[in-house]
Amino acid sequence: MFIVKKKIGKEEYYYLRTSKRENGKVKAVNVAYLGKNKAEAEKKAKKLQEKSLKLTPSKKNTMPNPKELTIDELATFCKRRGFVYPSGEIYGSLAGFWDFGHLGTELQDNIKKQWWKFHVHQREDMVGINGAIITNPKVWEASGHVDSFVDIAIVNKKTGEKSKIDKHELKDLDKNLFEVKGEFNPMFTTQVGPTKEDSITAYLRPETAQLIFTNFKLVQDNARLKLPFGIAQIGKAFRNEISPREFLFRTREFEQMEIEYFTAHNQECPYLNEIKDTEILIFSEEMQTQKAQPKKMKLYQAWKKGIIKNGWHAYWIASEYSWFTSLGANPKKFRARQHTSEEKSHYATDTWDLEYEFPMGWRELQGFANRSDYDLKQHEKFSKTKMEITDPEFGKVLPHVVCEPSLGMGRALIVFLLSAYHYDKERENIVLKLSPKLAPYKAAVFPLISKGEQLELSKEVFKILTEDFNIVFDKSGSIGRRYARNDEIGTPYCITIDNESLEDKTVTIRDRDTTKQIRVKISEIKTILTKLINSEIKFEKAGKLIR
Ligand code: GAP
């Protein structure tokens, strides 16, 4: 929800608005009139927003059931089901900061584990590090963030809505509609040291990347890395965004999953055969300037035809698209868009974004900048430390970052949740079809009758499974209610202990997406669940099909 100001004559009127879906289109509609005084209006809006988010999980599903959610509806769903809450909400929250609930924490953790496994553990050419959030402030002078990392704040004269634009957008700005408020550096500062005289001003890192550059030589040497190679990192980044909005899309504290991929200058990508079949909508700078439509094509072909100049870009875009879609992201909603020359960051020679069609439209999900040798050269200059390495093939060389796949955790989480969200008409409840690899709970265990021997045996099954998995134990309400509760939070398998279980030590497993059920031996349940989660076996073949 957001506040808008309307000016009629000399009077200003404030309204609270939200985006709603009407006839398949997302529209802004008034929620409440907030009065004529700005401060009063902000207070009223805060109260109304709190009220609308203070929804308790109800027995009957009351979540909307469109094919696709608006971003506000997703935020409400996340709050209701324990994924994400506005931070410090009991004090009125703080714009741009979010807390993760018991399910959001698990989901985030699973995304990170899958990302690390795919990018670090399963590659010979990649290692991972974990740098400090606050480092020597000279790092940010060298990187160019102190001088060149600026946003321009503008205010819509009619609605009072604040937003940010890049410097290059200034020339096209409608000055009748927008007032330019000035330039802002979005880095948060803090004092390091006990007293004022003894302290220095430092920054909360605005990207994780720089810690990879400052540690580059040590890591390359310690891990005996040979070109081409990558260094990966997952960690928090902070930006004092002018207008944090759209739930986790633009926040002031967020987590990044970044790779700096180093090559010798003009070193060719040897992995292009791996991506021969990966097809995606391509939107090059030329297509944008000619006002042409994005075109679906194989990334390999786009590189062959020179639309994507660098093979490494084609390779990494394909690789990241495959990672997303293998974990359940909707493949139809991705496209690769090249930055126009004026929108590139201060360090980039060529940048592509993997964009996703969010409910608010096509937006950047992940960036792929070619940073060349900009950062290592800058750190050489500012630190007076040689950054060259000796490579067995290339000798003494200052590597280039030919591609920097950089992804925000919050945006990835939104993509996975939006892709998973389904309303099942027959079941009359939401089924969150998350990949079992990402699901917060891998299975729910319930006794059919919540007492006596069935309760005891189900506790034993719970104990066996929790050695390897995060499992929810659920003994309250009807079986139907327990299924519905777990469908809504994305639990892929429900395991029921019934009378038959007491006789032959078997249990039933119900599949979330098909509601099919199989019966399996308790002694085999851990192996079967592992195979199901890793898609190594078809559900129907994993046991005796009973429904
Ligand atoms: N090291 C390069 C870099 O930081 P960026 O395009 O500014 O590049 C990379 O950010 C990614 O980080 C974005 O594609 C997005 O996923 C995420 N990101 C950036 N700013 C964000 C914000 N304010 N809130 C949430 N995610 C953000």
Side-chain angles (χ1 to χ4, degrees):
M1 283 193 253
F2 49 94
I3 301 175
V4 292
K5 181 173 78 177
K6 279 199 171 166
K7 218 169 173 184
I8 302 174
K10 283 187 181 161
E11 300 279 10
E12 288 175 347
Y13 300 88
Y14 292 88
Y15 294 88
L16 187 64
R17 306 196 105 193
T18 188
S19 34
K20 271 221 168 121
R21 186 175 301 280
E22 268 177 34
N23 302 328
K25 285 194 176 152
V26 180
K27 280 184 171 176
V29 290
N30 279 344
V31 175
Y33 169 60
L34 302 170
K36 295 184 190 175
N37 177 291
K38 192 177 173 201
E40 287 295 314
E42 279 172 354
K43 258 194 216 161
K44 267 192 196 168
K46 199 175 255 180
K47 273 199 185 146
L48 285 166
Q49 273 171 317
E50 279 164 25
K51 215 170 153 189
S52 90
L53 280 172
K54 250 177 214 152
L55 300 163
T56 45
S58 63
K59 280 200 169 175
K60 189 108 186 88
N61 165 62
T62 49
M63 281 303 298
N65 59 2
K67 273 199 191 134
E68 287 172 41
L69 295 176
T70 65
I71 202 75
D72 289 345
E73 286 165 350
L74 181 68
T76 306
F77 170 77
C78 283
K79 173 156 183 212
R80 276 193 189 179
R81 295 294 174 257
F83 285 95
V84 185
Y85 312 126
S87 187
E89 203 196 9
I90 55 168
Y91 294 103
S93 67
L94 188 62
F97 297 92
W98 297 85
D99 295 333
F100 288 81
H102 73 297
L103 298 181
T105 303
E106 296 290 339
L107 175 57
Q108 209 184 33
D109 208 34
N110 291 338
I111 296 172
K112 284 195 252 184
K113 273 189 205 144
Q114 289 301 323
W115 189 90
W116 201 258
K117 186 174 169 187
F118 182 84
H119 295 94
V120 181
H121 290 176
Q122 293 181 334
R123 294 188 68 108
E124 281 177 39
D125 58 349
M126 191 88 69
V127 294
I129 66 157
N130 189 359
I133 284 171
I134 298 173
T135 184
N136 192 312
K138 285 196 183 122
V139 169
W140 306 108
E141 286 171 33
S143 69
H145 282 83
V146 171
D147 287 338
S148 309
F149 192 46
V150 282
D151 287 332
I152 295 170
I154 55 165
V155 180
N156 184 314
K157 288 181 188 169
K158 270 197 188 150
T159 63
E161 205 184 349
K162 286 187 205 123
S163 44
K164 75 165 184 184
I165 56 166
D166 287 335
K167 265 186 180 167
H168 76 273
E169 292 168 306
L170 206 50
K171 62 177 178 357
D172 298 326
L173 191 76
D174 179 352
K175 302 277 174 3
N176 294 320
L177 191 59
F178 293 99
E179 185 189 341
V180 178
K181 284 284 182 189
E183 285 189 357
F184 291 89
N185 188 314
M187 280 199 292
F188 280 101
T189 55
T190 187
Q191 291 305 118
V192 178
T195 58
K196 213 175 169 192
E197 309 78 64
D198 264 351
S199 70
I200 58 156
T201 301
Y203 304 97
L204 302 196
R205 64 183 181 194
E207 61 169 12
T208 60
Q210 290 309 319
L211 286 303
I212 295 180
F213 297 123
T214 53
N215 288 296
F216 164 75
K217 269 199 60 116
L218 283 171
V219 180
Q220 183 272 332
D221 190 32
N222 294 153
R224 299 189 299 117
L225 297 165
K226 293 170 190 62
L227 293 167
F229 65 83
I231 303 178
Q233 185 173 203
I234 298 180
K236 291 266 175 158
F238 302 82
R239 292 182 196 173
N240 198 359
E241 295 284 356
I242 292 163
S243 52
R245 60 172 60 148
E246 290 156 343
F247 186 36
L248 300 178
F249 185 84
R250 191 172 303 289
T251 56
R252 287 176 166 147
E253 174 178 339
F254 55 101
E255 205 150 14
Q256 285 187 317
M257 303 189 272
E258 293 200 297
I259 292 167
E260 302 304 322
Y261 201 81
F262 299 93
T263 66
H265 190 35
N266 290 335
Q267 188 174 3
E268 302 245 307
C269 175
Y271 309 126
L272 285 160
N273 274 342
E274 293 173 21
I275 64 149
K276 277 210 151 137
D277 297 327
T278 315
E279 211 175 36
I280 194 171
L281 275 179
I282 303 265
F283 204 18
S284 65
E285 177 172 16
E286 199 181 325
M287 291 172 183
Q288 292 165 64
T289 44
Q290 290 179 353
K291 307 255 181 288
Q293 289 300 309
K295 202 171 160 195
K296 196 160 192 183
M297 63 176 94
K298 297 214 159 92
L299 279 155
Y300 182 83
Q301 288 305 327
W303 166 67
K304 275 271 176 201
K305 288 182 179 164
I307 298 168
I308 298 178
K309 303 261 170 331
N310 195 312
W312 287 104
H313 258 132
Y315 168 72
W316 276 110
I317 294 169
S319 194
E320 297 308 283
Y321 170 74
S322 302
W323 179 76
F324 267 110
T325 50
S326 73
L327 290 171
N330 184 347
K332 292 186 189 135
K333 291 191 171 274
F334 285 83
R335 75 179 184 191
R337 187 184 73 82
Q338 188 178 23
H339 280 205
T340 58
S341 310
E342 9 177 56
E343 82 183 279
K344 279 184 300 212
S345 306
H346 61 274
Y347 48 73
T349 58
D350 186 15
T351 301
W352 284 77
D353 284 343
L354 190 57
E355 292 194 333
Y356 190 81
E357 197 179 6
F358 289 93
M360 318 77 84
W362 286 102
R363 301 285 176 85
E364 174 184 346
L365 168 62
Q366 182 171 20
F368 301 76
N370 182 339
R371 295 180 82 127
S372 68
D373 54 0
Y374 171 85
D375 299 272
L376 291 182
K377 264 196 179 144
Q378 285 292 101
H379 288 300
E380 273 197 337
K381 195 167 125 195
F382 278 72
S383 69
K384 307 211 170 11
T385 307
K386 279 268 168 228
M387 288 290 178
E388 275 177 350
I389 57 166
T390 307
D391 183 84
E393 191 181 342
F394 299 97
K396 268 200 175 261
V397 57
L398 187 71
H400 280 227
V401 168
V402 74
C403 193
E404 180 204 44
S406 173
L407 172 64
M409 160 63 69
R411 293 186 193 181
L413 193 132
I414 296 177
V415 164
F416 287 124
L417 282 175
L418 286 171
S419 305
Y421 188 97
H422 287 79
Y423 181 79
D424 189 298
K425 276 193 192 143
E426 247 172 62
R427 286 185 239 181
E428 292 188 328
N429 64 260
I430 291 152
V431 182
L432 197 63
K433 296 186 177 180
L434 282 171
S435 154
K437 288 181 181 147
L438 299 183
Y441 291 116
K442 303 303 174 206
V445 170
F446 3 108
L448 188 60
I449 299 167
S450 303
K451 56 184 181 191
E453 283 177 276
Q454 281 189 25
L455 181 64
E456 289 312 309
L457 186 57
S458 50
K459 280 187 179 165
E460 270 177 48
V461 173
F462 176 75
K463 202 164 166 236
I464 294 169
L465 289 175
T466 48
E467 282 168 11
D468 287 358
F469 310 105
N470 190 27
I471 303 289
V472 58
F473 189 78
D474 193 347
K475 63 184 175 74
S476 63
S478 69
I479 284 289
R481 186 62 216 134
R482 286 184 251 176
Y483 283 153
R485 207 155 41 216
N486 279 286
D487 284 348
E488 284 198 34
I489 61 170
T491 310
Y493 305 107
C494 287
I495 297 168
T496 307
I497 287 81
D498 54 14
N499 249 340
E500 219 176 308
S501 312
L502 303 178
E503 285 160 22
D504 61 4
K505 297 280 181 273
T506 62
V507 292
T508 64
I509 309 182
R510 173 208 183 247
D511 179 54
R512 175 196 64 201
D513 298 345
T514 61
T515 71
K516 283 183 182 167
Q517 289 187 29
I518 52 173
R519 194 166 265 285
V520 304
K521 288 183 187 156
I522 293 176
S523 57
E524 291 172 4
I525 191 139
K526 230 158 106 171
T527 321
I528 290 171
L529 194 57
T530 308
K531 286 187 178 163
L532 286 172
I533 292 167
N534 293 326
S535 312
E536 285 163 12
I537 191 168
K538 277 211 151 83
F539 184 77
E540 295 82 349
K541 302 265 173 215
K544 191 174 157 213
L545 193 64
I546 52 170
R547 206 164 291 165

